[in-house]
Amino acid sequence: MLYLLYEVIQNTEAGRVLNFLRYPTFRIIAAGVFALLLGMLIGPKLIARLRLKQHGQSNVREDTPDSHQKKKGTPTMGGALILLCIAAGTLLFADLKSRAVWVMLLLTLGYGFIGFLDDWLKLSKRNSKGLAGRKKMVLQTFFFLVAVFGLLTTWTLPDGSFGPTLLINTKLTLPFIPTRWFNPDLGWFYVFFAWIVVVGTSNAVNLTDGLDGLAIVPTIVSAITFAVLCYVAGTTLSIADSEVVGGVSKLVATPLYQYLGVLQVPGGAELAVFCAAIVGAGISFLWFNTYPASVFMGDIGSLALGGALGGLAMLSKNEVVSAIIHGIFFAEILSVMIQVTSFKMTGKRVFKMAPVHHHFELKGMAEPKIIVRFWIVSILCGGVALLSLKLR
């Protein structure tokens, strides 16, 4: 919004004063700081209101260790605070002409709506089942298809005839491998592949949200990692690189994305603004969600953040790398898949309880120790993902 205002007045005296708004680096930092301050300011009042509305209701899942029963009475749906701060920071500082920004807002708020329905059913019916898994999957697929075919597809061919054309690059990139070596084009199959990434990440974050602060810090780390990846792939900056011409080495200007061997991402810098808003909103929420939590994220937060991270993986062309970035989330959903498959096939459980963080709880590890160790692993995963840039 502020960037659009700047474009209108850029040739005036006021425009020259606000010239800093044209720099993505400023807007990236500003979006994060604004989201953080907003969350810190309105968080206490929102939590107090949630506590009043949910007084006396149990917000603890049934499929958790008995030790979680002491958390009864802690208000949930704190993810509403995260969504409000993300939306405010993005709308205020991102370039709203960017198609990628609207895709991310649609996925985030759309999946947040699904989470809201889930949380509302849990509270109104006074049980922890909520929205049926099949209905949840249908709604997740619906918002994904709206984003892809509504915002990322053009329906008119160059000759004026009717025909769908994807506006997103359907080529696949792999970590540690330069795009010039291996860069297969999936064509329309890419839509199905992207669906797995987005919906799978959303559900993985939802499963991870079982301990105080466990899901939000890996989300922050992932958002920071994606901010770097998006900025690198979307910036117009170039670096001096050497090139041999006629046996003579000369310095030439090489675009940063080309030098690092990644695909160019239109609107990448604006996606970095969105990532910064997630970081700021996440840190403000952590202030209230750290052990012992004053508020739970709820599905309104976990499904939305997972959808956002999955969308970032898709738009930044880091679908496969996201398995590394989201290492914690991937391990959590994988543990559930292994547990269910093992029990159905052999009648035996691999873990004491799934997701895997409950397994460590039942082995006697203290909740704060599990949380912090998972945080450390998420930082390691983000570092490895960024390392893959240079190794390409």
Side-chain angles (χ1 to χ4, degrees):
M1 193 176 299
L2 289 179
Y3 182 77
L4 294 182
L5 175 63
Y6 163 74
E7 286 194 328
V8 172
I9 65 171
Q10 60 180 325
N11 294 323
T12 66
E13 188 62 34
R16 284 187 283 274
V17 173
L18 298 176
N19 184 57
F20 54 83
L21 287 173
R22 74 186 182 95
Y23 295 104
T25 47
F26 170 81
R27 292 186 287 111
I28 290 169
I29 297 172
V33 172
F34 178 80
L36 172 57
L37 290 177
L38 181 63
M40 295 293 290
L41 287 173
I42 68 176
K45 290 184 179 180
L46 178 62
I47 294 171
R49 188 171 182 83
L50 289 173
R51 184 176 287 111
L52 181 64
K53 291 287 185 181
Q54 302 170 24
H55 180 67
Q57 301 190 54
S58 174
N59 300 320
V60 179
R61 295 176 179 175
E62 294 177 359
D63 53 344
T64 56
D66 294 337
S67 59
H68 284 225
Q69 297 307 309
K70 64 183 179 182
K71 299 183 180 184
K72 283 184 177 180
T74 305
T76 188
M77 297 182 74
L81 173 67
I82 302 174
L83 296 187
L84 177 62
C85 296
I86 291 175
T90 302
L91 291 173
L92 200 58
F93 292 100
D95 180 3
L96 300 184
K97 298 194 304 300
S98 172
R99 190 183 297 264
V101 169
W102 290 108
V103 171
M104 291 312 309
L105 287 174
L106 173 61
L107 286 174
T108 305
L109 298 180
Y111 279 40
F113 172 73
I114 300 171
F116 168 78
L117 291 179
D118 197 21
D119 288 334
W120 180 79
L121 287 173
K122 291 175 183 177
L123 293 172
S124 61
K125 302 297 182 182
R126 293 181 178 270
N127 69 71
S128 62
K129 297 299 181 183
L131 194 65
R134 185 171 299 177
K135 293 180 180 178
K136 192 182 298 183
M137 184 74 73
V138 168
L139 288 173
Q140 287 174 315
T141 303
F142 169 76
F143 283 110
F144 170 79
L145 293 178
V146 170
V148 171
F149 293 110
L151 294 174
L152 293 175
T153 303
T154 179
W155 296 89
T156 305
L157 297 175
D159 60 3
S161 60
F162 176 82
T165 303
L166 283 174
L167 298 176
I168 187 173
N169 195 324
T170 56
K171 291 182 177 180
L172 191 65
T173 60
L174 299 178
F176 309 109
I177 300 177
T179 53
R180 65 180 182 275
W181 288 2
F182 186 76
N183 191 209
D185 194 335
L186 301 184
W188 281 98
F189 180 75
Y190 178 82
V191 175
F192 175 69
F193 177 69
W195 173 80
I196 294 176
V197 172
V198 175
V199 175
T201 305
S202 177
N203 291 323
V205 176
N206 183 239
L207 288 171
T208 305
D209 184 34
L211 300 178
D212 299 347
L214 180 60
I216 193 61
V217 170
T219 297
I220 293 170
V221 173
S222 295
I224 293 173
T225 306
F226 276 123
V228 175
L229 295 173
C230 289
Y231 185 77
V232 164
T235 183
T236 57
L237 292 177
S238 298
I239 64 170
D241 193 13
S242 60
E243 182 179 280
V244 178
V245 180
V248 180
S249 180
K250 295 183 178 180
L251 287 178
V252 294
T254 304
L256 189 56
Y257 69 88
Q258 184 178 328
Y259 171 75
L260 292 172
V262 298
L263 295 176
Q264 185 179 18
V265 176
E270 303 309 319
L271 287 175
V273 175
F274 176 80
C275 291
I278 293 180
V279 173
I283 294 174
S284 70
F285 179 74
L286 180 62
W287 180 270
F288 308 105
N289 184 238
T290 189
Y291 182 88
S294 302
V295 66
F296 295 146
M297 183 187 300
D299 287 357
I300 187 175
S302 59
L303 287 177
L305 291 174
L309 295 178
L312 286 168
M314 173 180 67
L315 293 181
S316 69
K317 305 306 303 169
N318 286 288
E319 304 91 349
V320 179
V321 181
S322 69
I324 300 174
I325 300 172
H326 303 149
I328 289 294
F329 304 136
F330 186 72
E332 293 276 27
I333 196 170
L334 188 62
S335 69
V336 173
M337 294 168 65
I338 292 173
Q339 186 86 325
V340 172
T341 302
S342 175
F343 189 75
K344 285 185 176 181
M345 294 182 65
T346 67
K348 297 180 180 180
R349 292 180 173 86
V350 176
F351 305 100
K352 291 180 179 293
M353 183 178 286
V356 71
H357 59 260
H358 291 321
H359 170 79
F360 290 114
E361 277 190 286
L362 293 178
K363 288 189 68 175
M365 190 178 294
E367 181 173 341
K369 180 176 287 188
I370 299 171
I371 295 167
V372 174
R373 287 184 174 178
F374 274 46
W375 289 356
I376 294 171
V377 173
S378 71
I379 295 171
L380 176 63
C381 291
V384 171
L386 291 177
L387 188 63
S388 71
L389 274 178
K390 188 60 180 175
L391 291 181
R392 286 182 187 181

